[in-house]
Amino acid sequence: MVSLQLRGVPSSHFCGGTLIHPRFVLTAAHCLQKQDPTRVSVVLGVHDLQASERSQQRFTILHMFENRYDPDEHLNDVLLLQLDRPAVLGPEVAVAPLPQQDQALPHGTQCLAMGWGRLGTHMPIPRVLQELNVTVVTFLCRPQNVCTLVPRRAAGICFGDSGGPLICEGVLQAVDSFVIRECASRQYPDFFARVSLYVDWINSILNKGV
């Protein structure tokens, strides 16, 4: 789990991400659309955003790789960040496995979403990492997305969770992309970019960049 922050600005978390290789992070393309990458810190090993934890590792962005991102349609909302050096793996920092190319994710699959996003549309962001059990749904969804709901309660991803992972059975199946109207509306599912569509593209970049 990665926190993207503005360099030198305290409590400046703005998006999440996932370490998929010691030198590469997968996040959402829209997270860096209006940010100067030279001003962004990629922070691993974070739990409490306001604490200087010994587990934290900070990196700068060496290169960014997009895949035909369409901001108007929220399509291909994935971005690979190459770090300036390899992360040190250990108990607090690990690499998330990717799915197979074009792997299906059936309706009803149980997954885990996580991040430091707002606790509600008009609420502040939390200090500590939040985790939420969610269920994959297909209604109102598109083939390019994985969509989730939390049954019987108003809960879901929110602003600041973008770019963070959807982990299903230990695998990074999707990247937090967008919500419709507001967070946890209960009318619409939450939308994630489907990682299985991009595995061959991701691997082609990893193989060049290592």
Side-chain angles (χ1 to χ4, degrees):
M1 182 72 215
V2 172
S3 171
L4 299 182
Q5 303 175 10
L6 297 179
R7 294 175 72 181
V9 182
S11 302
S12 59
H13 166 88
F14 63 89
C15 269
T18 309
L19 191 70
I20 60 168
H21 175 279
R23 284 200 69 171
F24 286 89
V25 163
L26 186 63
T27 185
H30 76 263
C31 283
L32 274 293
Q33 282 291 292
K34 296 177 181 175
Q35 298 287 3
D36 175 356
T38 63
R39 295 192 59 232
V40 175
S41 283
V42 180
V43 192
L44 298 171
V46 186
H47 180 68
D48 185 334
L49 289 173
Q50 296 179 29
S52 54
E53 300 159 315
R54 293 178 63 184
S55 58
Q56 291 186 15
Q57 301 177 42
R58 289 183 174 268
F59 303 84
T60 56
I61 297 170
L62 193 62
H63 295 296
M64 300 196 307
F65 302 88
E66 263 191 26
N67 189 329
R68 306 185 309 278
Y69 172 51
D70 181 345
D72 296 324
E73 297 293 330
H74 303 291
L75 291 174
N76 304 316
D77 193 8
V78 290
L79 183 71
L80 264 179
L81 307 178
Q82 184 173 3
L83 306 179
D84 61 313
R85 65 188 191 283
V88 178
L89 304 183
E92 286 95 4
V93 175
V95 170
L98 298 174
Q100 299 297 313
Q101 176 70 28
D102 298 322
Q103 180 179 329
L105 196 60
H107 178 92
T109 302
Q110 300 298 301
C111 303
L112 191 67
M114 61 193 79
W116 292 273
R118 294 184 186 184
L119 297 172
T121 303
H122 306 292
M123 301 279 284
I125 68 168
R127 278 187 56 161
V128 299
L129 181 65
Q130 305 291 304
E131 296 184 347
L132 183 65
N133 292 305
V134 298
T135 301
V136 173
V137 295
T138 51
F139 78 94
L140 299 177
C141 203
R142 306 180 296 183
Q144 302 91 341
N145 294 110
V146 172
C147 296
T148 66
L149 271 181
V150 178
R152 297 177 292 282
R153 57 183 278 234
I157 61 175
C158 202
F159 310 113
D161 286 323
S162 290
L166 183 73
I167 303 290
C168 312
E169 297 172 345
V171 174
L172 174 61
Q173 290 284 1
V175 171
D176 188 319
S177 184
F178 67 97
V179 298
I180 295 177
R181 294 193 184 163
E182 61 183 15
C183 306
S185 69
R186 301 188 77 174
Q187 292 179 280
Y188 300 95
D190 294 337
F191 287 77
F192 295 75
R194 184 183 292 271
V195 170
S196 68
L197 300 179
Y198 308 102
V199 175
D200 289 347
W201 169 75
I202 290 169
N203 285 331
S204 72
I205 293 169
L206 298 191
N207 293 335
K208 286 180 205 162
V210 174

